[in-house]
Amino acid sequence: MAVSMTGYGRGGASTSLGTVTAEIRSVNSRFLELNFRSDGVSPAMEDMVRTLVKETIIRGKVSVSLKFAAAMEGRAVQAEVDTALLSAQLEALRKAQNLPGVKKEKLSAADLLAVPAPWLRVSCDPVSDEELAPLVRQAAEEALAGLRTMREKEGRNLAEDLLGRLRLLREGLQLLKDRQQPIIEQYEARLRSRIEALLASAGAQADEGRILEEVAVYAEKTDYTEELVRFESHLDQFEKTLAGSGPVGRKLDFLLQEINREINTAASKASDLAVVDCVIQMKTELEKIREQVQNLE
């Protein structure tokens, strides 16, 4: 099943220790690229999530956000005062009270707590990686599940669009098949007309064998049957790959290159306006297909 490289997932896990929130986004990329943004989570926890992502995603530029908000209740809370900072602020406030027009009042605790500078720091006992790991894993797995669901849904939509465009390519393939014999017949008719016109004035007869020989040479030169056979085979492989499992984007991109090569060769051999026009339309569809394939994992 085709899977898109674009998606988003969010997960969370909570206990008495606190809450872990994980968000994972992915967009198109030729390879797997991982970027982390963490808050309250150690590098060891990032490595654990990195392993989970690599087990789930093959290609894409993936952004992972991990955040741990510790719970305050039921835990040893510690308050620390930055005495140097507090002393400096008190001195500044005393100087301000001595300015003209300022009412002098005794400083209170409320006055100090209103000061924005962080002279009072409140913290809890740290949570170890062993305690945090189950929460991080649960949140990351939930986010990855949501991401995978979105990528699979988008992949189904892309596959449906691609199958519709492949039907247009098969219609063009049939036109190329149908045009091959008329191209030879039209060449023979033009050749006979020209030879007969040239020989009529001289009262001579056209050499039938020579005409047939020229037509045979032209037919061999303009024959693009092999290209059409390979073209059709590539279309069959494309559909089969699209319906298969695992990453398909790179293989589909390679098949598109081969399809493009075959129809270009067919057009150069045919030298027929109808064939050239058909090839132009198919190349337009191929470009649209290529843009869609770039989104597949």
Side-chain angles (χ1 to χ4, degrees), residues 12 29 31 48 50 52 68 94 102 107 146 151 184 186 199 217 273 287:
S29 178
F31 309 100
M48 182 180 69
R50 182 177 284 103
L52 292 175
F68 173 59
R94 292 191 186 99
V102 177
L107 292 174
R151 284 162 62 105
I184 298 173
Q186 290 172 7
L199 295 178
V217 171
L273 290 179
E287 187 58 32

Side-chain angles (χ1 to χ4, degrees), residues 108-163:
S108 66
D111 296 325
L112 293 176
L113 292 174
V115 176
W119 59 270
L120 182 63
R121 296 189 294 270
V122 180
S123 63
C124 298
D125 289 339
V127 178
S128 66
D129 284 348
E130 289 73 16
E131 295 174 300
L132 196 58
L135 292 178
V136 174
R137 177 178 290 274
Q138 181 180 341
E141 288 179 344
E142 184 178 337
L144 282 170
L147 175 71
R148 188 70 182 179
T149 298
M150 181 176 290
R151 284 162 62 105
E152 289 176 352
K153 181 179 179 180
E154 181 67 15
R156 288 192 294 269
N157 293 336
L158 290 175
E160 184 178 350
D161 179 76
L162 289 173
L163 289 174

Side-chain angles (χ1 to χ4, degrees), residues 144-293:
L144 282 170
L147 175 71
R148 188 70 182 179
T149 298
M150 181 176 290
R151 284 162 62 105
E152 289 176 352
K153 181 179 179 180
E154 181 67 15
R156 288 192 294 269
N157 293 336
L158 290 175
E160 184 178 350
D161 179 76
L162 289 173
L163 289 174
R165 298 188 185 281
L166 285 182
R167 286 192 288 270
L168 295 177
L169 292 183
R170 289 192 181 279
E171 291 177 4
L173 171 64
Q174 188 59 50
L175 186 146
L176 295 182
K177 288 181 178 180
D178 295 340
R179 282 296 302 165
Q180 193 157 20
Q181 185 58 35
I183 289 174
I184 298 173
E185 294 174 354
Q186 290 172 7
Y187 174 78
E188 181 179 359
R190 292 196 303 271
L191 181 62
R192 286 183 180 277
S193 178
R194 291 174 183 174
I195 291 176
E196 290 174 355
L198 290 172
L199 295 178
S201 58
Q205 292 286 333
D207 186 341
E208 183 67 18
R210 182 59 178 168
I211 293 177
L212 294 178
E213 183 179 342
E214 288 294 331
V215 171
V217 171
Y218 179 81
E220 183 177 357
K221 181 180 177 182
T222 60
D223 181 38
Y224 50 78
T225 302
E226 292 183 8
E227 285 75 17
L228 296 188
V229 170
R230 288 192 292 266
F231 180 13
E232 188 168 18
S233 175
H234 295 331
L235 290 180
D236 293 339
Q237 290 183 61
F238 194 101
E239 287 192 22
K240 184 178 180 180
T241 301
L242 193 60
S245 58
V248 299
R250 291 181 179 176
K251 183 175 181 179
L252 294 181
D253 190 57
F254 169 75
L255 288 172
L256 288 176
Q257 295 178 33
E258 296 303 306
I259 290 172
N260 187 67
R261 180 180 293 110
E262 301 303 342
I263 63 175
N264 280 338
T265 304
S268 65
K269 284 186 174 183
S271 300
D272 179 72
L273 290 179
V275 170
V276 172
D277 182 63
C278 178
V279 167
I280 291 173
Q281 295 180 41
M282 286 194 293
K283 287 176 70 68
T284 301
E285 287 301 319
L286 279 175
E287 187 58 32
K288 294 177 181 178
I289 292 174
R290 180 175 287 105
E291 291 176 1
Q292 296 289 50
V293 166

Side-chain angles (χ1 to χ4, degrees), residues 16-82:
S16 59
L17 298 173
T19 301
V20 173
T21 303
E23 293 186 30
I24 304 179
R25 298 174 172 83
S26 66
V27 293
N28 301 351
S29 178
R30 292 183 61 191
F31 309 100
L32 178 60
E33 302 178 49
L34 291 177
N35 297 305
F36 277 81
R37 187 178 73 252
S38 301
D39 183 6
V41 177
S42 71
M45 295 298 96
E46 290 186 3
D47 288 340
M48 182 180 69
V49 175
R50 182 177 284 103
T51 299
L52 292 175
V53 172
K54 289 181 177 179
E55 291 174 352
T56 305
I57 299 174
I58 306 300
R59 289 176 63 199
K61 186 175 182 180
V62 182
S63 299
V64 181
S65 173
L66 295 174
K67 182 178 182 180
F68 173 59
M72 303 294 288
E73 297 181 1
R75 302 179 61 207
V77 180
Q78 301 171 350
E80 298 180 2
V81 175
D82 188 334

